[in-house]
Amino acid sequence: MIGKMRSFGTVAIIVAAGGIGCLAIAYLATVIFGGIGGDQAAKLSQPIDQKLVERGAYVAFEGDCSACHTAPGGKPFAGGLSLATPIGVIYSTNITPDAKSGIGNYTYGDFERAVRRGITRQGRSLYPAMPYPSYARISERDMQALYAFFMRGVKPARRADRPSDILWPLSMRWPLTYWRWLYAPPVQPAVAVAGSDPIAERGAYLVEGLGHCGTCHTPRGIGLEEKGLTPKSASYLAGGDVDHYLASDLRGNSWSGLGTWSEADIVRFLKTGFTQNSAVFGGMVDVVVHSTQNMTDSDLKAIAHFLKTLPHSGPERKFTYEPVVAMALYHGDVSKTGALDYLNNCSACHRSSGKGYPNTFPSLAGNPVVNAADPSSLIHIVLTGGSIPSTRTAPTHFAMPAFSARLTDQQVANVVTFIRSSWGNHAPGVEAAQVAKMRAALATRKLARAP
Amino acid sequence: MHKMKSVDVVVIGLGWTGSIIAMELAKEGLKVLALERGHNRDTSPDFSYPKAVDELKYAVRGELFRRLPLDTVTIRHKSGDTALPYRQYGAFLLPDNVGGAGVHWNGQLYRPSPEDLKLRSHIVQRYGAKFVPEGMTIQDYDVTYDELEPFLDRFEYLNGASGQAGNLNGKMIPGGNPFEGARARAYPTPPVADTLPAQLFAKAARELGYHPFPQPCANSSRPYTNPYNVRLGPCNLCGFCERFGCFLYSKGSPQTTILPALYQLPNFELRTQSHVVKINLDSTKRRATGVTYVDASGAEIFQPADLVILASFQVNNVRAMLLSGIGEPYDPVTGKGVIGKNYAYQMMSATTVFFDKDVVTNPFIAAGAGGSQLIDEFNSDHFDHGPLGFIGGGYIIGGQTGGRPIQQLAVPPGTPHWGAAWKRAAKENYLHTTNVVTHGSVMSYRDAYMDLDPTYRDSLGLPLLRMTFDWHDNEYKMTRYITDRALEIAAKMKPKAHSTLIRQPGDHFNVRQYQTTHTTGGVITGADPKTSALNRYLQSWDVSNLFVTGASAFPQNIGYNPTGLVGALAYYAAHAIKTQYLKHPGPLVQA
């Protein structure tokens, strides 16, 4: 008995030692090989002039660098914005050219490796909150302009980076190197395909690369990696979970994607935050304000053109308006569950027809956000409200109030179910428990964000 | 005293006219600073649905108005009386905070009649000089309707105003107001749909030979994008307009038409909780050097500026001029002096019409403006005043502005004021009641004026403004005459009962009664510096780098709601500043 125990103990020690040994080797591998990639000593191939800085500023808009690296009320690009990850909160870094707390001492090679390869100056790996798997697509030309902008076009700001709130052992960063080796694509110069559509190619470059649209809009796999980085994957831009919203499906599905949107609709949406029937919500509000409204019309058209090349995934289904519910409400029939709550809370703007007002209050009838299988966005918006941002070309910031304090979980479930099953919408109903879960998640998030 | 960095333009008060001037001058590239004594506020979150439709909070307790214990006006009927402070809102509503009264107005958007702007000369020409009674001090504007037309147009297109044109470039359009001055363009949006009572009123008016037309208003009836690219939502006739912010982005206000675009201009700055107490002058007293304001901490701060725009509410404009010592204060004994002169108000009568159960008026379908029908036969000088012996008039309107339970619930005459019988009557009549209202002018008089109160002071220790005002025979006659016409129309609507509130000879001005809220005058515009404080461009005769906007410029009050004229005069002034003053700073009209 004792012998058996002793031998078990020995085995355990050997296994443990073996495990630790493996871990040590795994760790050492990241120390030895983690810094490989790119050329830390690389220099700009051109002098920095005003023109290059200006072009870099535009590239920074396209890459939406400020979305994460400028905190609300903070100095531009000085970092400090909190980003919730599944393992804890991390904080964006100071990327102003301040020599002490920012990236003032970065060589072009340091900069390039961080942006396109996720490798820090010390050879460690960045959290993939930095979308380097997408930025790997950035051209050498744009990279150089971007570097010029961050060195000469941004005002240095002294602000020390804040360590993450992630607890040990999850705070160890070396396993990220394996994540990077597994999921980050190689940095390769884009090769023009003979006979292809140059506008779609430009669009692909912006959407897949600088715009890093897939970061939110592509569903994630077991390792939290994007399930596809290019249209080769049927999951690419098929909709992802972000911040308790469903970042919409951008593929060609008429029912729940962009199938019914024209290229002009997409351009207008990215410029102003709304189309005739829809309005921006969630994290996309910041994208419109900080990034897309600053893009040229030709780049926006390229994005739209490329997105419209994405086929629908799954069976195609088209929306047809059904007037039954509108007629019932017109005649005072509120027998359908949720109908009275809808009239009392929603119809002032969205109307009993569910059509809203064009270019003003979004249509609920036939809206892909409403008909998405996953009702997260709709529940979230009803609870917290939403606001169209004030953009240069459309300064009015129409807002929807929050209804969390006014409606119970059951009322929200009823009204969302009503919206998802009226006027021709046919999406699964919502239970009070789903609303309760969303409410709890949003409350936790709010607490986590409190200073 | 702390001194701030100088700016090109300082705007005192960010209400309707302050927003217009700030926008027009900031677009020119000038460094514009708006000093607002109140707080900033916006449709979201301040007026969001359903919080915004709380009658007790907003309409009864006056959430959007200036808190009267901070500062108010004092009121008396005649020289020699002791004025007492206005301590509870009734006859007029003093604004506060960004947007000013432009947030809580009803949205009724009229143009003056051409003769309103040349009132004295028009009356003298048609009826003779003796027709103007002793003591009546009406004057002409030094600007014509035709000169103002492009600016009346601009204010309508700013708001996405809804209405039906009656006179397009001289061509009469059926269904519009046949008495209006020629307009260059139709309204930007079609009229708000008529409510049932408006239809009944229009039918009755037509039977009597009148020309009813839909009420013009600053509520866009369709989603609308204005020339500043600011977008408005459509009115849905919720009935929460006057005293409320509009949750639907429909009622024109600085917030719904200008501020979203203004806030994007980097050369514009808004400083809130900055209460201007004085316009500073140099040693010649002919030039403003800037303004002094008190900030949230109570500190006095000097803000230098090249150009000063006094754009606060009418009574506050008059007070600021008196406190700053600009212009000669008006003396009612000699009739000399200009600041405080020609204070005026308006005179209404209201007839509540009660129908049987077969007429369902649905008072909860209503708008503060729009959805009603009116006639203009008895306004301005649209009718022969000769045999009638009075000057002025008003429009007669049929419809409803809301069905709010506390302030807008009527019971037939003879109903007890409380108890079971009142409740029964309220319930029986709520859905079957509407209104026929007359909205009449008030002329200016030698004994109606404003000066600084010798007794009462505000929370900063400065004297309050004193209002000396009472009714005159001319207005009693006017209201009797047009109310009788209104009652004839009401009778044609075949109600089961009606009740009328009218001011009769012997009735004094009663500030506890709500009427039109439109207080005017005190810093009036005109052709002669001896009889007016401002020239035609609202520029001070005395201090040429000071412009004073708002209804304080009206030499007498019109029969229409004033905001259309207020907005047009502000655009007219802004245009003169842009095209003339900035090129050659100095007096734009030689005295």
Side-chain angles (χ1 to χ4, degrees):
Chain A
M1 186 71 190
I2 291 171
K4 263 190 181 174
M5 277 182 71
R6 187 173 293 155
S7 63
F8 181 78
T10 311
V11 170
I13 288 166
I14 291 167
V15 168
I20 289 168
C22 286
L23 277 174
I25 291 165
Y27 165 71
L28 280 175
T30 67
V31 173
I32 297 162
F33 304 112
I36 294 177
D39 175 8
Q40 221 171 343
K43 290 195 173 64
L44 275 199
S45 62
Q46 54 190 318
I48 296 180
D49 58 15
Q50 190 52 32
K51 217 173 139 196
L52 191 65
V53 171
E54 274 167 23
R55 225 170 54 72
Y58 182 69
V59 175
F61 278 139
E62 291 180 316
D64 201 6
C65 309
S66 71
C68 290
H69 287 281
T70 303
K75 296 229 164 67
F77 303 109
L81 181 83
S82 63
L83 301 156
T85 77
I87 53 173
V89 175
I90 62 174
Y91 299 90
S92 65
T93 54
N94 183 343
I95 55 168
T96 71
D98 182 61
K100 195 160 173 200
S101 59
I103 60 170
N105 290 332
Y106 274 43
T107 63
Y108 173 65
D110 290 332
F111 183 75
E112 186 278 330
R113 278 159 41 101
V115 174
R116 285 201 294 200
R117 301 167 204 268
I119 305 170
T120 70
R121 214 162 163 235
Q122 294 77 25
R124 305 200 306 174
S125 293
L126 290 172
Y127 282 105
M130 171 75 176
Y132 58 83
S134 300
Y135 288 167
R137 287 285 311 268
I138 300 176
S139 70
E140 185 62 21
R141 185 169 174 267
D142 281 354
M143 265 322 295
Q144 297 210 0
L146 201 56
Y147 178 73
F149 170 66
F150 278 106
M151 291 302 131
R152 299 282 172 82
V154 173
K155 224 172 148 187
R158 181 66 49 91
R159 197 199 137 272
D161 289 335
R162 179 173 170 179
S164 80
D165 295 348
I166 301 169
L167 297 176
W168 192 86
L170 292 173
S171 62
M172 288 191 295
R173 285 175 79 139
W174 62 267
L176 293 173
T177 301
Y178 285 94
W179 191 97
R180 175 158 63 81
W181 285 338
L182 264 175
Y183 298 124
V187 172
Q188 283 172 342
V191 183
V193 181
S196 74
D197 177 349
I199 298 174
E201 247 176 38
R202 173 70 183 162
Y205 172 72
L206 291 170
V207 170
E208 294 170 16
L210 275 166
H212 62 286
C213 308
T215 304
C216 291
H217 290 279
T218 299
R220 290 187 182 257
I222 190 113
L224 294 178
E225 82 289 4
E226 291 165 44
K227 279 186 173 170
L229 294 168
T230 68
K232 282 180 202 139
S233 159
S235 296
Y236 183 61
L237 300 181
D241 297 320
V242 179
D243 213 11
H244 311 292
Y245 289 102
L246 174 70
S248 302
D249 175 1
L250 304 184
R251 299 180 68 88
N253 304 321
S254 297
W255 189 251
S256 57
L258 294 184
T260 55
W261 289 38
S262 67
E263 289 185 21
D265 289 338
I266 297 172
V267 170
R268 186 161 168 218
F269 180 82
L270 295 174
K271 214 176 168 73
T272 65
F274 60 89
T275 69
Q276 172 143 331
N277 297 316
S278 310
V280 65
F281 61 90
M284 192 66 193
V285 170
D286 286 339
V287 176
V288 170
V289 171
H290 299 299
S291 176
T292 55
Q293 73 156 329
N294 301 303
M295 292 191 191
T296 62
D297 282 357
S298 66
D299 273 349
L300 292 177
K301 279 179 192 157
I303 289 172
H305 191 63
F306 168 69
L307 288 176
K308 291 302 285 182
T309 64
L310 299 176
H312 59 83
S313 43
E316 176 67 335
R317 184 176 180 185
K318 290 226 188 303
F319 173 83
T320 313
Y321 188 81
E322 295 165 11
V324 185
V325 168
M327 289 312 287
L329 294 182
Y330 181 82
H331 290 292
D333 174 1
V334 289
S335 55
K336 189 174 171 181
T337 305
L340 193 58
D341 284 327
Y342 179 81
L343 279 184
N344 283 337
N345 296 286
C346 317
S347 67
C349 296
H350 298 290
R351 307 175 78 187
S352 52
S353 66
K355 289 180 179 174
Y357 287 99
N359 305 315
T360 310
F361 304 127
S363 172
L364 301 175
N367 192 319
V369 174
V370 171
N371 280 319
D374 176 351
S376 301
S377 291
L378 204 53
I379 299 172
H380 193 148
I381 293 168
V382 170
L383 288 175
T384 63
S387 184
I388 305 177
S390 180
T391 54
R392 273 194 303 284
T393 46
T396 301
H397 40 105
F398 292 115
M400 165 170 158
F403 287 91
S404 60
R406 182 167 156 85
L407 300 179
T408 64
D409 291 343
Q410 190 60 55
Q411 284 176 304
V412 173
N414 289 350
V415 88
V416 169
T417 301
F418 175 83
I419 291 166
R420 280 161 67 86
S421 61
S422 297
W423 314 296
N425 295 335
H426 296 285
V430 167
E431 301 292 330
Q434 286 169 275
V435 181
K437 205 174 147 200
M438 176 68 79
R439 216 190 268 272
L442 294 175
T444 317
R445 185 192 62 165
K446 213 170 164 186
L447 280 178
R449 282 193 176 171
Chain B
M1 189 171 19
H2 185 66
K3 185 177 166 183
M4 304 296 277
K5 211 173 144 196
S6 185
V7 294
D8 296 326
V9 186
V10 67
V11 175
I12 304 167
L14 197 61
W16 254 138
T17 62
S19 300
I20 287 170
I21 304 252
M23 184 70 189
E24 289 296 303
L25 298 186
K27 276 203 309 176
E28 295 293 298
L30 297 177
K31 167 79 186 149
V32 178
L33 166 69
L35 295 174
E36 163 60 45
R37 69 178 178 184
H39 297 270
N40 201 356
R41 54 185 179 179
D42 206 349
T43 306
S44 171
D46 301 292
F47 317 134
S48 65
Y49 182 81
K51 284 188 305 183
V53 294
D54 181 337
E55 184 182 19
L56 185 62
K57 179 178 178 180
Y58 291 98
V60 178
R61 294 182 179 156
E63 176 73 11
L64 302 182
F65 311 145
R66 181 70 171 170
R67 296 271 171 261
L68 292 176
L70 293 174
D71 56 72
T72 180
V73 293
T74 66
I75 299 165
R76 59 181 183 171
H77 288 134
K78 59 179 190 297
S79 295
D81 289 359
T82 301
L84 292 172
Y86 181 54
R87 295 186 190 273
Q88 200 176 332
Y89 279 112
F92 48 86
L93 309 171
L94 301 176
D96 205 1
N97 303 313
V98 167
V103 165
H104 61 72
W105 70 315
N106 245 337
Q108 309 202 2
L109 186 54
Y110 293 90
R111 295 178 168 203
S113 282
E115 67 264 31
D116 288 336
L117 299 176
K118 296 287 171 190
L119 189 65
R120 175 174 279 274
S121 48
H122 176 89
I123 294 293
V124 168
Q125 194 189 355
R126 182 167 177 185
Y127 304 107
K130 286 193 179 142
F131 200 72
V132 180
E134 172 63 26
M136 188 188 278
T137 51
I138 55 175
Q139 292 184 189
D140 289 358
Y141 288 74
D142 190 25
V143 58
T144 65
Y145 175 88
D146 290 341
E147 286 168 324
L148 267 190
E149 201 285 332
F151 305 96
L152 291 159
D153 175 285
R154 285 199 66 179
F155 192 63
E156 287 166 356
Y157 273 73
L158 174 77
N159 281 293
S162 56
Q164 170 63 54
N167 180 349
L168 260 184
N169 294 309
K171 185 173 174 241
M172 305 314 285
I173 311 289
N177 179 5
F179 299 96
E180 72 175 358
R183 54 175 66 244
R185 292 194 280 181
Y187 284 92
T189 65
V192 171
D194 287 333
T195 58
L196 178 69
Q199 293 167 20
L200 297 175
F201 173 89
K203 182 169 172 283
R206 266 191 295 273
E207 283 168 11
L208 288 166
Y210 302 136
H211 300 85
F213 60 95
Q215 184 184 26
C217 71
N219 300 7
S220 51
S221 59
R222 305 276 186 278
Y224 172 78
T225 304
N226 76 16
Y228 298 136
N229 267 337
V230 179
R231 193 161 170 80
L232 290 93
C235 175
N236 73 353
L237 289 99
C238 79
F240 286 81
C241 304
E242 187 179 27
R243 299 162 188 259
F244 301 89
C246 177
F247 68 83
L248 215 57
Y249 300 80
S250 171
K251 182 175 72 179
S253 69
Q255 280 82 351
T256 56
T257 61
I258 301 173
L259 299 181
L262 181 60
Y263 290 159
Q264 291 192 344
L265 301 179
N267 49 324
F268 171 76
E269 185 195 347
L270 165 64
R271 235 174 265 161
T272 54
Q273 293 185 273
S274 302
H275 187 156
V276 173
V277 292
K278 191 171 142 187
I279 297 160
N280 298 69
L281 302 177
D282 70 5
S283 57
T284 68
K285 306 279 179 203
R286 307 292 289 176
R287 183 174 172 76
T289 55
V291 300
T292 302
Y293 68 92
V294 176
D295 74 5
S297 71
E300 275 205 356
I301 293 168
F302 176 57
Q303 174 62 57
D306 292 338
L307 181 60
V308 177
I309 310 294
L310 177 55
S312 61
F313 191 70
Q314 176 259 337
V315 295
N316 299 326
N317 279 357
V318 181
R319 184 162 171 245
M321 294 295 275
L322 291 169
L323 288 174
S324 305
I326 301 172
E328 188 186 348
Y330 174 71
D331 180 346
V333 178
T334 63
K336 292 210 167 72
V338 290
I339 306 300
K341 177 182 161 160
N342 281 18
Y343 173 75
Y345 185 61
Q346 282 176 327
M347 191 184 247
M348 293 176 78
S349 72
T351 298
T352 312
V353 180
F354 300 91
F355 293 105
D356 263 326
K357 292 239 158 73
D358 58 326
V359 178
V360 182
T361 58
N362 280 2
F364 46 82
I365 303 175
S372 295
Q373 285 266 340
L374 66 144
I375 64 161
D376 215 20
E377 268 79 357
F378 302 103
N379 207 347
S380 302
D381 196 36
H382 303 164
F383 57 112
D384 185 4
H385 287 75
L388 302 171
F390 67 84
I391 295 169
Y395 62 75
I396 303 171
I397 187 164
Q400 52 216 15
T401 59
R404 303 195 311 260
I406 303 173
Q407 293 182 318
Q408 293 181 318
L409 191 152
V411 289
T415 306
H417 289 296
W418 67 86
W422 180 88
K423 283 186 187 172
R424 200 163 45 244
K427 191 179 166 195
E428 281 177 2
N429 288 284
Y430 179 72
L431 287 173
H432 313 286
T433 307
T434 197
N435 308 292
V436 174
V437 167
T438 72
H439 188 283
S441 58
V442 165
M443 297 302 115
S444 49
Y445 297 92
R446 186 164 174 163
D447 61 1
Y449 64 97
M450 308 185 108
D451 61 1
L452 292 176
D453 191 278
T455 311
Y456 292 96
R457 288 168 182 271
D458 70 5
S459 54
L460 297 173
L462 299 166
L464 293 183
L465 188 72
R466 178 170 64 180
M467 184 184 280
T468 303
F469 178 76
D470 207 351
W471 306 120
H472 292 78
D473 285 343
N474 182 75
E475 277 63 39
Y476 294 129
K477 283 187 205 160
M478 180 278 302
T479 197
R480 182 72 262 168
Y481 180 74
I482 65 171
T483 302
D484 287 343
R485 305 290 80 73
L487 288 170
E488 288 161 6
I489 301 173
K492 275 266 182 221
M493 293 165 75
K494 301 197 175 61
K496 67 170 186 189
H498 76 269
S499 65
T500 298
L501 174 67
I502 180 171
R503 276 85 198 169
Q504 321 243 27
D507 287 349
H508 288 290
F509 175 50
N510 183 349
V511 294
R512 292 170 301 172
Q513 282 179 346
Y514 169 82
Q515 285 199 57
T516 73
T517 75
H518 304 137
T519 71
T520 60
V523 193
I524 65 176
T525 177
D528 181 352
K530 286 196 204 64
T531 56
S532 60
L534 310 174
N535 66 23
R536 64 203 311 245
Y537 303 114
L538 309 188
Q539 182 182 34
S540 163
W541 287 113
D542 297 279
V543 176
S544 65
N545 64 336
L546 168 67
F547 289 72
V548 186
T549 56
S552 51
F554 289 15
Q556 55 274 330
N557 214 338
I558 47 179
Y560 302 100
N561 305 61
T563 310
L565 181 52
V566 166
L569 287 171
Y571 268 116
Y572 185 64
H575 183 74
I577 294 170
K578 286 193 317 192
T579 57
Q580 300 178 55
Y581 181 86
L582 292 178
K583 285 173 191 153
H584 304 288
L588 298 179
V589 179
Q590 290 308 321

